[in-house]
């Protein structure tokens, strides 16, 4: 099936098989920030935005994304850099495997809720498993980010 994807503003047209998942397509197209984790939509490392909604790319067929706007972490670098500065200041940066999915969850949260509470932040991040750090330091960093950015 012929598919056209608009990824971070760039248009790609190609032939996809009916069972091809978006995670594989994105990595094949060079978007290596999208990581393969559990392959069962449970761990959050492959999170991306499709038409502004957070989706696990390992459970989303490429053909379903036809003519949709796809955002990976490469498409939101400025906002990610701003959030990452708070995480680094708290000393709880991650190894990089979980970070892209973690950041995409935060980007989705900030798009959907103008002034999120920490409970809402924790709810959005509940599906993101971090394999190398705890969560409390990240929560402190995000509380600082929300306070400074008047969210």
């Amino acid at each position: 099936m012929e598919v056209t994807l608009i990824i971070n503003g760039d248009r790609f047209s190609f032939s996809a098989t009916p069972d091809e998942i978006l995670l594989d397509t994105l990595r094949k197209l060079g978007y290596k920030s999208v990581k393969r984790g559990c392959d069962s939509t449970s761990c959050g490392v492959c999170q991306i935005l499709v038409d502004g909604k957070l989706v696990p790319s390992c459970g989303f067929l490429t053909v379903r994304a036809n003519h949709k706007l796809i955002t990976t972490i490469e498409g939101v670098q400025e906002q990610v850099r701003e959030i990452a500065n708070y995480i680094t200041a708290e000393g709880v940066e991650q190894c990089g495997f979980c970070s892209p999915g973690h950041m995409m969850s935060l980007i989705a949260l900030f798009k959907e809720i103008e002034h999120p509470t920490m409970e809402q932040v924790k709810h959005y991040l509940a599906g993101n498993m971090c394999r190398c750090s705890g969560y409390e330091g990240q929560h402190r960093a995000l509380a600082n980010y929300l306070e400074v950015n008047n969210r």
Side-chain angles (χ1 to χ4, degrees):
M1 174 179 188
E2 287 299 308
V3 175
T4 298
L5 304 180
I6 302 138
I7 307 169
N8 302 326
D10 294 325
R11 182 177 295 270
F12 297 88
S13 295
F14 55 92
S15 181
T17 60
D19 61 347
E20 185 172 335
I21 60 171
L22 193 51
L23 167 66
D24 291 334
T25 301
L26 291 170
R27 290 190 60 82
K28 188 168 50 178
L29 291 172
Y31 295 93
K32 304 294 186 187
S33 71
V34 186
K35 307 293 187 207
R36 179 179 303 281
C38 64
D39 271 339
S40 65
T41 72
S42 299
C43 74
V45 299
C46 68
Q47 302 274 34
I48 59 167
L49 302 180
V50 175
D51 281 347
K53 299 292 183 193
L54 189 66
V55 301
S57 62
C58 74
F60 201 93
L61 292 174
T62 299
V63 295
R64 283 185 61 203
N66 193 22
H67 295 290
K68 297 194 185 279
L69 301 175
I70 297 168
T71 306
T72 68
I73 201 165
E74 290 91 345
V76 287
Q77 289 289 304
E78 186 175 322
Q79 191 172 10
V80 166
R81 196 170 295 115
E82 184 181 353
I83 297 168
N85 285 339
Y86 284 87
I87 291 173
T88 302
E90 194 64 42
V92 291
E93 55 272 52
Q94 299 167 304
C95 70
F97 186 76
C98 305
S99 296
H102 188 250
M103 288 293 179
M104 293 311 293
S105 294
L106 291 169
I107 299 295
L109 166 67
F110 298 144
K111 283 180 182 270
E112 293 178 21
I113 302 173
E114 189 174 353
H115 300 289
T117 65
M118 274 312 293
E119 288 306 311
Q120 290 169 316
V121 169
K122 290 177 182 178
H123 175 76
Y124 263 75
L125 295 179
N128 291 84
M129 294 175 53
C130 177
R131 289 144 177 91
C132 59
S133 72
Y135 298 99
E136 287 307 312
Q138 294 172 10
H139 293 158
R140 283 192 307 274
L142 294 169
N144 292 338
Y145 174 80
L146 294 174
E147 183 179 323
V148 170
N149 290 285
N150 197 20
R151 294 193 179 254

